[in-house]
Amino acid sequence: MQVYLGDIIPTSTLDWPGKVVLAIFLKGCPFRCPYCANPQFIEPDSGEPTDTDRVIAEIDKAKDFIDGVVFSGGEPLMQFAAFETIAAHAKSLGLLVGIQTNGAYPERIGKLVEEGLLDAVLLDVKAPPEPEKYLRAAGVPDRKETSDAVYGSVRLCNGFRSEGKLAYYEVRTTVFAGISNTPEEIAAIAAELACDAYVLQQGRPEIAMDENIRKLEAVPRNELMELARLVKSDQIRTVKDRTREMGDEIVRPQK
């Protein structure tokens, strides 16, 4: 089976907290976020395709040194058949499988969980459940269904985690000046979550796709920490901030 592959990182300790994983970047994304840090992976069929056997061979080489595999992108669920094939092989080796996803395809997340092919979801929630704000953050002004799809994934994963069908469920919001940077916006996002960790990430304007974003200053660490401290929900076990200078910092310990 062919797959449009962005990259493979043989060992990573950054993509799944507490795990050593092989990270697979698949091309294609339905969003055009102005602050995207991986614009080279946006187009679904750019470059020459490779075979899933190549990816499987990389997993086989690394299997004795890793805990699992994490798919990223782009949005890895755009290439769903290839994802299923590679994930099934990883599971056959006894490895864990996780995904970094923008939540645009809740039905595909559900199918993978019910098939036993997904152990962790690392869900990127860009804005509160308000269509206009979400469309701006995702860069897709004509896709009115975007917010509904993403928050459908949120609710689905909330349920899967409470039922024990997911081993780990993390939600991430990337904060920029003017994008999900107010207490009201963060509170609105947090109110929808029931997860292991909610992470506020410091956006990096200097590597953003959009020229206007590149002109911004990064939100300072102290401001990010203040936003994180405002998250009070009992449905979120741990609250963290993630900055370039300090990495992950636990703002509220696990409950």
Side-chain angles (χ1 to χ4, degrees), residues 200-215:
L200 298 187
Q201 299 187 136
Q202 182 186 53
R204 295 182 58 189
E206 73 276 10
I207 60 172
M209 179 170 67
D210 185 89
E211 181 180 352
N212 292 322
I213 299 293
R214 291 199 299 272
K215 295 176 183 177

Side-chain angles (χ1 to χ4, degrees), residues 177-252:
I179 302 176
S180 298
N181 69 324
T182 68
E184 293 78 14
E185 288 172 311
I186 297 303
I189 296 170
E192 302 291 326
L193 309 179
C195 56
D196 291 290
Y198 181 37
V199 183
L200 298 187
Q201 299 187 136
Q202 182 186 53
R204 295 182 58 189
E206 73 276 10
I207 60 172
M209 179 170 67
D210 185 89
E211 181 180 352
N212 292 322
I213 299 293
R214 291 199 299 272
K215 295 176 183 177
L216 299 175
E217 295 291 330
V219 174
R221 172 174 167 263
N222 64 314
E223 292 184 18
L224 200 66
M225 292 188 75
E226 285 303 313
L227 286 173
R229 289 191 183 105
L230 295 174
V231 177
K232 305 295 186 184
S233 172
D234 290 336
Q235 299 302 307
I236 299 171
R237 295 184 181 183
T238 304
V239 180
K240 302 179 183 179
D241 67 16
R242 180 172 294 151
T243 61
R244 186 176 184 182
E245 60 264 43
M246 297 297 293
D248 282 14
E249 297 177 282
I250 295 174
V251 177
R252 195 192 73 194

Side-chain angles (χ1 to χ4, degrees), residues 103-161:
Y105 302 105
E107 72 288 347
R108 298 182 186 184
I109 294 174
K111 187 171 188 290
L112 290 168
V113 172
E114 296 298 349
E115 289 176 343
L117 295 179
L118 198 57
D119 301 289
V121 172
L122 307 143
L123 181 58
D124 182 20
V125 176
K126 302 175 187 299
E130 302 173 31
E132 292 307 315
K133 286 188 175 182
Y134 220 99
L135 294 174
R136 176 173 177 260
V140 283
D142 298 325
R143 294 189 56 181
K144 303 297 184 185
E145 73 281 7
T146 297
S147 179
D148 288 343
V150 173
Y151 279 91
S153 292
V154 167
R155 290 187 290 273
L156 192 67
C157 292
N158 289 350
F160 283 146
R161 186 65 185 99

